[in-house]
Amino acid sequence: MKYIAPELSINLLEQEIERNVSAALTEDVGEGDLTAQLVPDNVIATATVISREKAILCGTQWFTRCFAKIDADTEIIWKATDGDIIHPGQTLCEIKGKARSLLTSERAGLNFLQMLSGVASKAWRYTEAVAGTGAKIVDTRKTLPGLRLAQKYAVACGGGCNHRIGLYDAILIKENHILAAGSIAAAMSAAKQVAGAVNRCKFIEIEVETLQELEEALAAGAQMILLDNMTLDQMHEAVAITKGCAVLEASGNVSLETVRSIAETGVDRISVGGLTKNVRAVDLSMRLQE
C-alpha cells in the first residue's frame, strides 16, 4: 500500500480489510451461492477486470481479499496499482481459478474496487483543481458507516489528506460545543484540559462563523481554525487577520466549481464532505473469458 497517512498504519488497514471483506461476504454469500452451483465444481475459468472510464484505481487489496477468502487458490495478477490513473478499455487485472469461486467473489470484490476508486478519483479531481495554490484537500467524518478507514485510504490514494479519523483522536470544537460550553474561550480552555489528560489527541481545532469569532478564537490560543460557510471576502480577511499564526481550514458549500477560488484566498486546508459521502462508483467490468 503506497498511500498511508501516519494514522493509517499498514497493520490497522490490514485489520480493516479483513473486517470489511468478512462483513461483505457474510451479507452477500450467507450460507452459500445458489446460482454459482449451476456451474460444475471442477470448471477452471479466467477473467479480466476492465476499466470503462478514466479514474484513479483504489481498492485492489479489498478486491483480492474477497477472492482469496472464497478460494485461496484463486490467482490474481494486477496490471495496475492503487493510485494509478486508469483509462477506458484498460485491463486492470487477470484472474484464474474455479469458475464457481470467481462468480461468487465477483460482486463483493467489484463493490469495493468501484466504490474506493470513486472516492480516490473524486479526491484527485479536487486536488488537481487547487494545484499550485498551496491549499490541501481534506476529508471529513461524513463517511459510509463501517468503511471509514477504507474511504480515508482512498482519499489519500487520490492525493487528498486525512482529517481526524474519528472522535477519539482529535478535538474539533463546533458551534454546538461552543453553545454548550458557554463561549469560545470556555470551550478552548476545556479542550486544552481534555487534550492534556490523554496522549492520543493530535490537534485541537475550533469552528468559527464570523470574523469576530475568529478574533476570539485567536485570543483563546487557537492554532487550527475552521472557517464555516464564510464568503470569499471573509476568507481573504481571515487570512490577513491570522497572518500565519494558525492553520485555516475552509468548509461549507465547496464544489469543483468553487474550490479553486476558495484555495486562492490563502487558506491552508479545504475540507470536502462530498469526497466520502456522495460517492459515484467507477465503471469497471469483470468478464469471464471464453
Side-chain angles (χ1 to χ4, degrees), residues 1 39 42 67 80 87 100 109 130 132-133 142-143 153 160 166 177 198 213-214 239 258 278 288:
M1 296 182 184
V39 180
N42 60 350
F67 284 79
H87 301 275
R100 279 191 183 184
V130 303
T133 65
K142 296 175 182 178
T143 52
Y153 169 77
H177 298 103
V198 298
E213 290 180 350
L214 172 66
V239 171
T258 63
N278 305 323
L288 266 63

Side-chain angles (χ1 to χ4, degrees), residues 39-60:
V39 180
D41 183 51
N42 60 350
V43 173
I44 301 299
T46 59
T48 57
V49 175
I50 305 294
S51 173
R52 301 298 188 191
E53 62 179 297
K54 184 176 181 180
I56 298 294
L57 180 63
C58 184
T60 58

Side-chain angles (χ1 to χ4, degrees), residues 235-243 248:
M235 283 187 268
H236 274 291
E237 193 167 349
V239 171
I241 291 171
T242 305
K243 297 177 182 178
L248 293 181

Side-chain angles (χ1 to χ4, degrees), residues 93-111:
C93 69
E94 297 174 350
I95 312 167
K96 182 178 181 180
K98 288 185 177 181
R100 279 191 183 184
S101 300
L102 270 55
L103 293 168
T104 299
S105 310
E106 175 185 2
R107 177 42 51 202
L110 283 176
N111 281 348

